[in-house]
Amino acid sequence: MISHLAGKIVLKKQGFIILSVAGVGYEVFVSVKTAESLPEANSDLSLFCYLDVGERSLKLFGFLTYSELELFKI
């Protein structure tokens, strides 16, 4: 399970970012609220994460605080 990522923001788009961690780019879905609070591209970022495993997909959701992650799980 991926529960935390720290790296550089490569790309910011509506609804997701790409975060480079040790040379690997992770597509991380973020809420509108989280997206508004993120720094610009090429900035360092640390996120708490939730990995949603589906039958045909893996989706990684990112949150700035652990409490946001806990709320998402509910």
Side-chain angles (χ1 to χ4, degrees):
M1 179 70 82
I2 298 171
S3 60
H4 181 265
L5 289 173
K8 277 201 183 294
I9 300 172
V10 174
L11 179 71
K12 287 175 60 175
K13 291 288 187 179
Q14 186 174 355
F16 75 94
I17 63 168
I18 296 179
L19 189 67
S20 179
V21 179
V24 177
Y26 291 89
E27 181 180 50
V28 183
F29 295 98
V30 293
S31 69
V32 172
K33 179 185 176 207
T34 298
E36 291 172 351
S37 301
L38 294 178
E40 294 303 314
N42 296 318
S43 298
D44 291 329
L45 180 65
S46 178
L47 292 173
F48 293 99
C49 298
Y50 177 81
L51 180 62
D52 181 29
V53 179
E55 184 176 323
R56 299 187 66 178
S57 68
L58 298 172
K59 292 181 181 173
L60 190 60
F61 296 89
F63 306 91
L64 292 173
T65 66
Y66 189 74
S67 61
E68 287 177 300
L69 170 62
E70 287 294 301
L71 184 61
F72 178 79
K73 288 179 179 180
I74 296 171

